[in-house]
Amino acid sequence: MFGPFYSTMFLAFESGNVIGLRMMKIMSGGSGSHDEANLMVTEKVQAMFEASASLLAGGTASSVIDRYREHVAANAKRLS
């Protein structure tokens, strides 16, 4: 019953951490900051299409949230 709620809350906290890491990378300047900004936008568009396709194929909101958490975890690992 509380599974989707907790997954959503964890996604919010984990996303906040990644946002902070990305802002530090972008604020540091250099070519890496430009690349990070482009990657951020590209990932958001790809995630939107992936979520839409999943829902159209019969996926649940919970499965979409779990997939977003996988993306966020990969970004946290890459940026740390």
Side-chain angles (χ1 to χ4, degrees), residues 6-55:
Y6 287 122
S7 289
T8 304
M9 293 303 296
F10 281 123
L11 175 61
F13 291 125
E14 293 162 351
S15 296
N17 182 40
V18 170
I19 289 168
L21 292 169
R22 277 192 157 148
M23 290 301 105
M24 286 191 299
K25 174 120 182 177
I26 291 171
M27 289 171 41
S28 69
S31 64
S33 64
H34 185 263
D35 295 341
E36 186 63 33
N38 284 333
L39 181 61
M40 179 175 59
V41 173
T42 302
E43 286 177 344
K44 301 254 185 250
V45 172
Q46 288 175 345
M48 178 195 64
F49 283 120
E50 183 180 346
S52 298
S54 175
L55 291 172

